[in-house]
Amino acid sequence: MLREFILAGEKVALAEMVEEDQALFQRWLSENPELRELIDDLRIPTMEDQRNWFKRLQKPDRRFFSLLAVLEGVLIGNAGFVEIDPEKKSAMLRITIGHPEFHGKGFGSEAVALLVRYAFEIAAWRTLRLTVLKTNTRAVRTYEKVGFRIQSEHLHNGKEMLTMELFHPAVHT
């Protein structure tokens, strides 16, 4: 399926998420317990669970994309924003690289940079937040590379979590 890119880098692009993507997302989650651990949901999702997740993404406080590998034309994950607050001009960033062949090759880093660009240049938000497992050092480094800073640490379901924030550069000038 050919898709129009919302934003594209050299390796990865943000594209509109479609219902047809859900089967692959569900397969990645059902086959990979480590991935379920990273998204903090250990349940193996059914296809109905996945379709319900996709329906929830249609709410106005959410904006999600499918992540496509540019050269390969392959669906590799999803990413976007939840808890969008138009008054505070803020949102919570989420990203999942589900395709195992695209881990550790810079696709996630480029996707995060594209999401930041979308948030600040297209959506005109001023603040991005995210939570990440403290032990997910690869993700923490990725977020720090694009400017996120650790704001706090907390326990969630017995796991050490970090809350990180990134402010639009114009907010601090």
Side-chain angles (χ1 to χ4, degrees), residues 107-158:
F107 288 86
S109 295
E110 188 172 88
V112 170
L114 290 172
L115 290 164
V116 168
R117 191 171 141 209
Y118 179 91
F120 293 155
E121 294 177 14
I122 296 172
W125 297 327
R126 297 192 315 225
T127 308
L128 287 178
R129 294 175 326 286
L130 61 86
T131 57
V132 61
L133 283 169
K134 186 176 182 179
T135 56
N136 190 351
T137 54
R138 187 172 69 198
V140 172
R141 278 193 307 274
T142 293
Y143 301 137
E144 288 176 331
K145 211 173 8 176
V146 297
F148 280 89
R149 296 294 167 248
I150 296 170
Q151 298 299 310
S152 64
E153 295 185 32
H154 62 279
L155 287 177
H156 178 72
N157 295 332

Side-chain angles (χ1 to χ4, degrees), residues 45-164:
T46 64
M47 219 22 242
E48 182 179 351
D49 294 333
Q50 192 64 42
R51 280 192 291 272
N52 288 336
W53 177 80
F54 180 62
K55 286 178 190 166
R56 285 193 308 274
L57 293 182
Q58 310 313 309
K59 292 182 179 180
D61 70 335
R62 296 155 194 253
R63 176 71 169 110
F64 260 71
F65 308 98
S66 288
L67 298 176
L68 301 175
V70 172
L71 296 177
E72 296 85 347
V74 173
L75 179 65
I76 65 167
N78 63 68
F81 307 97
V82 296
E83 299 177 27
I84 297 170
D85 186 331
E87 289 184 24
K88 292 182 180 177
K89 296 188 176 193
S90 66
M92 175 84 70
L93 184 145
R94 300 267 172 90
I95 181 169
T96 302
I97 304 293
H99 197 305
E101 292 177 28
F102 292 87
H103 291 176
K105 297 179 179 173
F107 288 86
S109 295
E110 188 172 88
V112 170
L114 290 172
L115 290 164
V116 168
R117 191 171 141 209
Y118 179 91
F120 293 155
E121 294 177 14
I122 296 172
W125 297 327
R126 297 192 315 225
T127 308
L128 287 178
R129 294 175 326 286
L130 61 86
T131 57
V132 61
L133 283 169
K134 186 176 182 179
T135 56
N136 190 351
T137 54
R138 187 172 69 198
V140 172
R141 278 193 307 274
T142 293
Y143 301 137
E144 288 176 331
K145 211 173 8 176
V146 297
F148 280 89
R149 296 294 167 248
I150 296 170
Q151 298 299 310
S152 64
E153 295 185 32
H154 62 279
L155 287 177
H156 178 72
N157 295 332
K159 298 175 195 149
E160 290 183 273
M161 304 294 291
L162 300 175
T163 297
M164 302 180 78

